[in-house]
Amino acid sequence: MVSPASEKSVRQMYKETRLAQKRLDTLLRFLPDPVFAFTLNNTVEYVNPAFERVFGWKLTEIRGKNIPFVPDHLLEQARQGMKQLYENRTVMDFETQRYTRDGRLLDILINGAILYDEDDTPMGQVLILRDITFEKRMAKTNRIMFDISNALHTYHKLGDLVTIITAEIQKLVNVEGAFILLADRKTDELYFFSARFKDAASGNKFKKLRFPADQGVSGHVFKTGKPLLIPDISQCDFYLRRVDEETDLVAQNMLSVPIKLKDRVIGVVSVVNKLQGQFDDTDTDQLMMVASTVALPIENTRIHEELEQSYTDLKILNQAKDKVINHLAHELKTPVSVVDAAMKLLEKKLAAKGIRDKKIETIIGRARRNLRRILNIQFEVEDLLKKKQFTAFHILTRLIDACVDELALLTEIQAQDETRTGNADMMTGVRQAVEKIFGPHRLTRQTIHLDQYMARHLERLAPDFAFRRLTLETGLEKTHLVHMPEEILDIIVTGLVRNAVEYTPDGGKIQIQVFSKNNRPTLVIQDYGIGFTPEKLRLIFENYFTPPDSSEYTTKQPFEFNAGGRGFDLLRIKLFSERYNFTLDIDATRCRFIPADTDTCPGDIRRCRFCTTPDDCLNSGATTVTLIF
């Protein structure tokens, strides 16, 4: 029989045990860190609410089961950790990673101990799993943001700066590929400015890609200005598949965020293929932080480089202007000298035949005056280049001298018009004639089907070089429309075709193609002629071309081989490209048989001592001019 004192003692112990259990339950329920208790065979015995909240598994569904949350690459580490736990009976601050139920990979810090029964026999383990994912990411973010901040002040070239930023983003988010795409405001396209993927060769494939700014995941982010996470690319119907097709990328998941300034989006940061786990909101926040930090420095660096490039172009064009004017002044000497000699010869012939005619003398006199005007251009150009100042007297005198013959001609025309009488009618007629003949003409943009236009224009030009023994191959595909004045396109195409013909020897070949490149109309004119030396190609828009021997002006006709100089065709096209927003690219290889500018080509493959077959010439030199509208 139990004594009242013993019964009271048992009740007190039971009460205290219940209270301790209640306190333990309360502690475990409100403990912010996950607690995980399991048996010796690794089956779950208990998890607290924090475990359910962090990892996603409920106690009711995992009790008595194993939890598959150890990553495959950490299985050996987990075995070593358990070994350490049994050897030391406890484990402190053991850092590792575990999966959540929805596939996220968390960084955790484990503290644990072995559970023993009354006989000091191990009966299980209890672990506290502290989630340190956010802390580690923030530490990593702070470190990488510090490196990026240093880079902003260290690298002054946009290419170097963006390359560093892309590499840091790849490390920050732990992805296979990281890309920075910038917007081309002229064409409304996105292009890969920097690509960090596998190796340099793989990354360079991305830099060749451009696509409309409203296409693909990046285009969607660019237009909406909002981040976008795609957990499964195969389920995304607007993902741009051609990116995978034209590169080594096999995209599985993707995260893109906008690079935003205060008033606009200037680009997109995109990352693909998370190496561990899935993209989550923390990745989005980190990427948004980087994008907002680098947006203004990227734009400032780009503007700075554009200003530097504009200044460089301006200096080159200014130098080219002086050289072109000087070139023009000297080129005028030869044709004027030829015409002047012809006029003198004509006068002698007329005098020898005893022909004396007042009207003929007037015509010859007028021609001689205009020749003197042309000769004076050289001196006027020199005055301009030397920046001389002219008084009003000299300016007016030159204006009157320049207009004498035009006014005389117009007056004669008006005087012969019997319907006009009086000085007022005369001056009105002169003014109208001046406006009609010498007045400026406005050019209007037209909508042009480039393939149809080229077919018509080549047909018009063909008779002009029909005397040349050349093979002309064309491939004219239908493209998007070109918008520019047709008169300007006439000048461009005529100049390029003439240059191709004049620098290709008889027996040679010229290829002309029209096709679409990145949805932009493209014209390519390739001749298999003498080509350019590297130095001349480098100076093509700066120093222009050395004028040919003056005898060319008297002995050669347009479209003959090596007829005259290339003139100012390419310089004019360069200026037109800036005015009408198309790009001009020239690639050339000098004929290997005549590598120097002083070497000459006979103008006919059959007369070339280096060529035994036409293919020898076709494989020796070439010039390719590409216009992208």
Side-chain angles (χ1 to χ4, degrees):
M1 184 174 182
V2 180
S3 67
S6 297
E7 185 177 352
K8 183 177 181 182
S9 176
V10 170
R11 287 200 196 98
Q12 182 65 29
M13 289 178 60
Y14 177 74
K15 185 177 180 180
E16 290 177 355
T17 302
R18 292 263 330 248
L19 180 61
Q21 184 64 43
K22 193 172 183 180
R23 288 174 177 172
L24 178 60
D25 290 343
T26 302
L27 175 64
L28 292 174
R29 186 180 306 114
F30 292 100
L31 191 68
D33 292 325
V35 176
F36 172 35
F38 54 99
T39 63
L40 294 178
N41 60 359
N42 293 327
T43 59
V44 176
E45 187 172 341
Y46 173 81
V47 295
N48 71 337
F51 184 95
E52 295 178 344
R53 183 178 64 254
V54 172
F55 289 93
W57 283 286
K58 300 291 186 182
L59 177 60
T60 55
E61 61 183 326
I62 58 175
R63 189 191 298 272
K65 300 178 182 178
N66 289 320
I67 303 179
F69 68 161
V70 180
D72 291 341
H73 67 285
L74 294 178
L75 288 174
E76 180 58 31
Q77 184 202 51
R79 282 191 285 269
Q80 294 298 322
M82 291 303 298
K83 182 179 178 181
Q84 178 183 339
L85 176 63
Y86 277 100
E87 289 177 352
N88 301 327
R89 295 198 171 195
T90 61
V91 63
M92 302 293 293
D93 295 336
F94 184 82
E95 188 172 328
T96 186
Q97 292 177 314
R98 292 293 183 267
Y99 281 121
T100 63
R101 183 175 183 176
D102 57 6
R104 292 176 295 116
L105 188 64
L106 302 183
D107 292 295
I108 62 171
L109 203 64
I110 297 178
N111 288 277
I114 299 294
L115 296 176
Y116 295 90
D117 60 15
E118 295 84 353
D119 300 325
D120 201 30
T121 300
M123 55 179 293
Q125 306 98 22
V126 60
L127 302 178
I128 299 177
L129 311 177
R130 182 183 166 209
D131 181 10
I132 59 171
T133 305
F134 183 75
E135 296 175 24
K136 287 200 66 175
R137 288 188 179 182
M138 287 306 301
K140 186 177 181 180
T141 300
N142 291 339
R143 184 176 67 255
I144 289 178
M145 291 302 299
F146 179 77
D147 293 338
I148 290 176
S149 298
N150 283 337
L152 298 180
H153 306 288
T154 304
Y155 296 92
H156 303 292
K157 291 185 178 181
L158 184 59
D160 296 338
L161 174 61
V162 174
T163 298
I164 292 297
I165 293 172
T166 310
E168 296 296 338
I169 289 174
Q170 187 181 33
K171 292 188 293 184
L172 174 66
V173 195
N174 194 25
V175 290
E176 183 181 24
F179 313 97
I180 290 183
L181 298 91
L182 297 182
D184 187 331
R185 287 166 288 189
K186 293 182 179 179
T187 61
D188 194 28
E189 291 179 317
L190 290 176
Y191 61 96
F192 288 84
F193 190 86
S194 179
R196 188 84 175 182
F197 182 73
K198 290 185 177 178
D199 51 35
S202 296
N204 288 335
K205 292 181 180 180
F206 289 91
K207 296 182 181 180
K208 300 177 182 178
L209 293 176
R210 300 175 71 98
F211 55 89
D214 59 352
Q215 290 187 6
V217 176
S218 297
H220 180 86
V221 171
F222 178 75
K223 289 299 183 181
T224 62
K226 298 179 180 179
L228 183 61
L229 193 161
I230 308 294
D232 186 356
I233 290 296
S234 65
Q235 302 301 314
C236 180
D237 56 1
F238 56 88
Y239 177 72
L240 202 60
R241 309 286 173 190
R242 60 173 282 233
V243 175
D244 287 18
E245 294 168 359
E246 298 180 30
T247 66
D248 299 332
L249 178 65
V250 179
Q252 299 170 355
N253 45 53
M254 182 174 181
L255 172 62
S256 295
V257 302
I259 304 175
K260 297 176 67 173
L261 296 175
K262 182 178 180 181
D263 57 339
R264 67 187 187 280
V265 179
I266 63 170
V268 176
V269 177
S270 293
V271 291
V272 297
N273 298 347
K274 184 81 170 176
L275 293 179
Q276 295 178 350
Q278 299 290 326
F279 288 117
D280 55 25
D281 291 341
T282 303
D283 294 318
T284 303
D285 293 341
Q286 288 178 325
L287 215 54
M288 287 291 290
M289 184 188 305
V290 174
S292 62
T293 301
V294 303
L296 187 58
I298 285 178
E299 183 69 357
N300 287 343
T301 306
R302 181 159 67 172
I303 292 173
H304 177 71
E305 288 191 357
E306 288 177 354
L307 289 174
E308 281 191 336
Q309 185 60 47
S310 297
Y311 179 68
T312 301
D313 291 344
L314 184 61
K315 287 199 301 182
I316 291 174
L317 287 175
N318 193 45
Q319 293 169 0
K321 175 204 69 177
D322 291 344
K323 292 176 181 180
V324 165
I325 294 174
N326 217 359
H327 179 100
L328 176 60
H330 285 83
E331 276 197 350
L332 284 171
K333 283 183 178 180
T334 300
V336 169
S337 298
V338 173
V339 176
D340 188 43
M343 295 301 297
K344 288 180 181 179
L345 181 61
L346 179 60
E347 284 184 311
K348 290 180 180 179
K349 292 285 186 181
L350 291 173
K353 292 181 178 292
I355 297 175
R356 299 287 182 181
D357 187 296
K358 188 67 175 177
K359 290 184 177 180
I360 294 177
E361 291 177 356
T362 300
I363 293 172
I364 293 177
R366 183 177 295 164
R368 296 292 298 277
R369 285 197 304 275
N370 279 282
L371 286 174
R372 286 196 295 272
R373 286 172 55 194
I374 295 174
L375 287 172
N376 285 335
I377 288 177
Q378 178 190 0
F379 303 108
E380 292 176 359
V381 168
E382 290 177 354
D383 289 337
L384 288 172
L385 294 177
K386 293 176 182 177
K387 300 181 181 178
K388 289 185 177 179
Q389 300 296 320
F390 300 99
T391 63
F393 170 76
H394 292 109
I395 294 174
L396 290 173
T397 300
R398 292 190 179 203
L399 286 173
I400 293 172
D401 289 342
C403 296
V404 166
D405 291 300
E406 283 81 357
L407 290 173
L409 179 62
L410 292 171
T411 303
E412 287 179 13
I413 294 172
Q414 294 301 315
Q416 293 172 6
D417 189 347
E418 297 177 355
T419 63
R420 297 184 181 275
T421 58
N423 291 336
D425 286 342
M426 177 70 74
M427 293 307 298
T428 300
V430 169
R431 183 178 292 109
Q432 291 174 349
V434 168
E435 290 177 357
K436 180 178 180 181
I437 299 173
F438 302 107
H441 300 283
R442 294 188 61 183
L443 297 175
T444 57
R445 291 180 182 264
Q446 296 166 271
T447 299
I448 300 171
H449 294 271
L450 189 58
D451 56 327
Q452 299 175 15
Y453 166 83
M454 287 300 299
R456 293 195 306 270
H457 197 71
L458 290 175
E459 186 176 357
R460 289 196 297 267
L461 287 178
D464 294 337
F465 58 91
F467 63 94
R468 295 293 308 280
R469 193 169 51 82
L470 297 171
T471 299
L472 178 62
E473 298 178 353
T474 59
L476 308 178
E477 300 177 5
K478 188 174 182 180
T479 66
H480 289 293
L481 299 176
V482 172
H483 303 282
M484 67 186 305
E486 189 165 328
E487 297 94 325
I488 299 300
L489 192 56
D490 287 345
I491 294 171
I492 293 169
V493 174
T494 300
L496 293 178
V497 172
R498 186 177 67 248
N499 285 336
V501 171
E502 291 180 355
Y503 281 81
T504 302
D506 282 342
K509 181 171 67 175
I510 297 172
Q511 293 177 324
I512 298 178
Q513 295 178 294
V514 172
F515 54 89
S516 289
K517 182 177 182 180
N518 296 330
N519 293 321
R520 298 176 64 184
T522 301
L523 170 63
V524 177
I525 299 179
Q526 181 174 12
D527 68 75
Y528 293 86
I530 60 177
F532 298 112
T533 59
E535 179 63 17
K536 184 170 285 188
L537 184 61
R538 186 179 68 83
L539 298 175
I540 196 167
F541 293 125
E542 178 184 357
N543 199 33
Y544 217 54
F545 296 100
T546 304
D549 186 85
S550 61
S551 63
E552 302 291 352
Y553 289 102
T554 58
T555 61
K556 299 281 183 151
Q557 297 296 324
F559 291 99
E560 284 192 48
F561 178 75
N562 207 28
R566 286 186 186 260
F568 302 108
D569 290 325
L570 291 175
L571 180 58
R572 294 173 76 190
I573 295 172
K574 169 70 172 175
L575 297 175
F576 287 149
S577 71
E578 297 173 355
R579 188 180 307 168
Y580 296 103
N581 296 323
F582 63 87
T583 59
L584 169 65
D585 181 67
I586 301 176
D587 185 30
T589 302
R590 178 70 174 183
C591 175
R592 67 177 184 273
F593 302 125
I594 49 172
D597 286 325
T598 53
D599 297 329
T600 59
C601 172
D604 191 325
I605 296 177
R606 295 175 300 186
R607 293 190 285 115
C608 178
R609 60 191 179 91
F610 301 105
C611 298
T612 56
T613 66
D615 287 342
D616 292 335
C617 180
L618 298 179
N619 296 324
S620 63
T623 300
T624 303
V625 180
T626 303
L627 303 181
I628 303 178
F629 298 93

